[in-house]
Amino acid sequence: MNEFSILCRVLGTLYYRQPQDPLLVPLFTLIREGKLAQNWPLEQDDLLERLQKSCDMQQIATDYNALFVGDECRVSPYRSAWQEGATEAEVRAFLSTRGMPLSDTPADHIGTLLLAASWIEDNAGDDENEAIEILFETYLLPWVGTFLGKVEAHATSPFWRTLAPITRDAIAAMWDELEEENEE
């Protein structure tokens, strides 16, 4: 698994899964113990240290639910809520044509899109860069900046207020890398 895949997998998982999900225990342990920073491929030490100091699980879970869960959530995690005319079905069709296994959950969730980028990076064939570029350019970049700004503005916990700029910087770095590879 390369750095691009790791970034997408970690960030996608944090947005996709409820913080109290048992599958997240190892990840939150890495964050709490400062070990995520040791393996983080980007220069975000200050932000990762802030994230480490903000691992109050009750606060993280409460804020996650208020931010992202239900019809009355503060910040919809779905692309279709941010882009006029965007549908979940078009994301699902794109990911399906790439061979990504999908569940019944909406495919246009921020977590799903980041996890999809990791999956494509790890499993795609010769056209993986093109597929990831399309994923970023069409399904992620047009709305993710606004989404992350709203997360930062509406989060009540330091964890989510910190994860938003970490995510923004990571997505920008990955996009820069994709564009550089395209120029070669």
Side-chain angles (χ1 to χ4, degrees):
M1 199 179 322
N2 67 27
E3 293 175 346
F4 186 103
S5 182
I6 290 168
L7 287 171
C8 290
R9 175 118 2 129
V10 168
L11 295 170
T13 299
L14 288 169
Y15 286 100
Y16 184 75
R17 295 195 175 278
Q18 294 270 345
Q20 61 275 22
D21 187 319
L23 292 174
L24 286 181
V25 170
L27 180 53
F28 276 111
T29 300
L30 283 175
I31 294 169
R32 197 175 10 267
E33 292 177 357
K35 292 180 180 173
L36 182 63
Q38 295 170 5
N39 300 304
W40 199 247
L42 301 175
E43 293 295 322
Q44 295 181 303
D45 293 347
D46 292 344
L47 288 170
L48 292 171
E49 189 177 320
R50 268 195 352 219
L51 200 67
Q52 177 186 356
K53 292 176 180 175
S54 63
C55 269
D56 176 328
M57 291 310 295
Q58 181 59 50
Q59 192 180 50
I60 292 169
T62 299
D63 206 15
Y64 179 92
N65 286 321
L67 285 167
F68 308 124
V69 178
D71 293 335
E72 300 300 315
C73 66
R74 289 190 213 125
V75 185
S76 176
Y78 302 104
R79 171 183 174 258
S80 54
W82 296 97
Q83 266 191 291
E84 185 153 342
T87 66
E88 185 273 344
E90 66 186 319
V91 176
R92 182 171 292 279
F94 170 77
L95 296 176
S96 292
T97 62
R98 298 290 172 211
M100 183 176 168
L102 295 167
S103 66
D104 292 339
T105 60
D108 68 337
H109 187 284
I110 178 70
T112 304
L113 291 169
L114 290 168
L115 289 167
S118 174
W119 188 90
I120 291 169
E121 179 73 16
D122 294 342
N123 295 287
D126 296 337
D127 66 344
E128 79 178 40
N129 274 357
E130 180 186 347
I132 292 172
E133 283 177 37
I134 292 168
L135 176 68
F136 269 64
E137 197 168 24
T138 305
Y139 301 111
L140 196 57
L141 292 176
W143 67 279
V144 77
T146 305
F147 165 79
L148 293 169
K150 296 289 185 187
V151 170
E152 225 170 338
H154 291 283
T156 58
S157 67
F159 183 88
W160 293 105
R161 277 196 309 272
T162 303
L163 193 64
I166 287 172
T167 306
R168 183 182 298 110
D169 292 352
I171 288 172
M174 290 183 284
W175 180 244
D176 288 347
E177 182 182 314
L178 285 169
E179 287 187 310
E180 285 172 17
E181 288 174 9
N182 227 9
E183 292 170 6
E184 293 174 3

